Amino acid sequence: MADGLFVYGSLREGGSNHAWLMRTHPEGHTRAWVAGRLFHLPAGYPALVPGPDPGEPPPGPGWVRGDFVGYEDEGDLDSALADLDPLEGVEEDLFTREIRPVILEGGHHYRAWIYVFHVERLPRLEREAMELPSGDWASYL
């Protein structure tokens, strides 16, 4: 079971699809991190590949920066995901949606839905995309 949604790309505040996220009526958002690697794709958007816990608290290597987005209840979260899945290409298998642990800015641990690339795609990403060692797509832009 997930507590919310983790966004790390165009759905973040200032991103080109932030208005799409806002139409799902979230209760709020806060800075958060998830373990993984972040890539900038030639198509102009980011891809997160989940990874193991880096062993050191965020920020730092092995952490991806984003926002934890909360909803009033599970029904609102489910409704938001149903609205966001088509944008994220879930049916086309562009991204998959997984529940992963996230760490909020204050150190609290939650579980969140995250749109990710399958780890099987990692070799292709390493060849064709630009890895963002900072783990923050917004600062890259």
Side-chain angles (χ1 to χ4, degrees), residues 22-140:
M22 294 310 294
R23 77 182 198 179
T24 67
H25 307 291
E27 279 198 308
H29 67 278
T30 188
R31 182 181 300 196
W33 290 267
V34 66
R37 295 172 66 185
L38 189 64
F39 294 85
H40 179 75
L41 301 170
Y45 52 86
L48 185 154
V49 176
D53 186 317
E56 296 288 329
W63 292 104
V64 174
R65 159 72 166 89
D67 295 318
F68 176 82
V69 180
Y71 290 87
E72 186 170 331
D73 57 34
E74 190 175 340
D76 286 349
L77 176 57
D78 289 344
S79 177
L81 295 169
D83 190 51
L84 294 168
D85 282 357
L87 174 69
E88 297 293 337
V90 172
E91 281 191 19
E92 296 84 23
D93 203 32
L94 178 60
F95 285 90
T96 59
R97 187 165 33 90
E98 297 180 4
I99 296 176
R100 306 289 299 182
V102 298
I103 300 177
L104 276 53
E105 185 170 41
H108 296 285
H109 293 248
Y110 288 95
R111 293 175 55 77
W113 284 109
I114 305 173
Y115 293 99
V116 301
F117 260 40
H118 284 290
V119 71
E120 295 85 23
R121 293 183 180 169
L122 188 55
R124 184 173 178 189
L125 286 172
E126 290 173 332
R127 283 191 317 272
E128 299 175 9
M130 177 185 299
E131 186 165 7
L132 306 178
S134 73
D136 189 348
W137 191 65
S139 67
Y140 169 75

